[in-house]
Amino acid sequence: MIQVSETAKQKVVTLMTEEGFDASKDYVRVGVKSGGCSGLSYELNFDNKVDEADKVFEDNDVRIIVDKRSFLYLVGTTLEYSGGLNGKGFVFNNPNAQRTCGCGESFSL
């Protein structure tokens, strides 16, 4: 479903720990909402609860939950992290996106 690169995993674990979450049992909630310069934008949060309509995945030891509505938009997506001077932070490489904005935080189908 969603793949997590090694650099994204390392950053997720660090941020979860800083925010009081436990990467071995809590989740990264990934979603899609209306908005952004291309029409849809990504959401990324930490959560310790799974809702009944959520789909649960694990890749590279990162536990991920996706709400049912966002699922179809995100199939095959890879979560990466780009740091450094020109780094953007978390980057979604989504094969379903037909167009993305320059910042990589929004897309359209």
Side-chain angles (χ1 to χ4, degrees), residues 20-70:
F21 289 90
D22 181 348
S24 67
K25 57 182 183 175
D26 293 325
Y27 302 89
V28 176
R29 179 174 289 281
V30 182
V32 173
K33 65 179 181 177
S34 296
C37 47
S38 292
L40 297 168
S41 62
Y42 299 105
E43 290 185 298
L44 191 63
N45 298 296
F46 302 130
D47 204 336
N48 55 13
K49 291 178 247 157
V50 177
D51 296 331
E52 189 174 302
D54 287 336
K55 296 197 176 282
V56 179
F57 304 93
E58 185 170 331
D59 186 65
N60 202 6
D61 297 324
V62 175
R63 295 162 44 114
I64 301 165
I65 48 179
V66 179
D67 65 86
K68 192 187 313 185
R69 187 184 66 80
S70 299

Side-chain angles (χ1 to χ4, degrees), residues 7 15 48 62 68 77 96 99 107:
T7 54
L15 291 172
N48 55 13
V62 175
K68 192 187 313 185
T77 297
N96 305 304
R99 187 180 61 159
F107 68 102

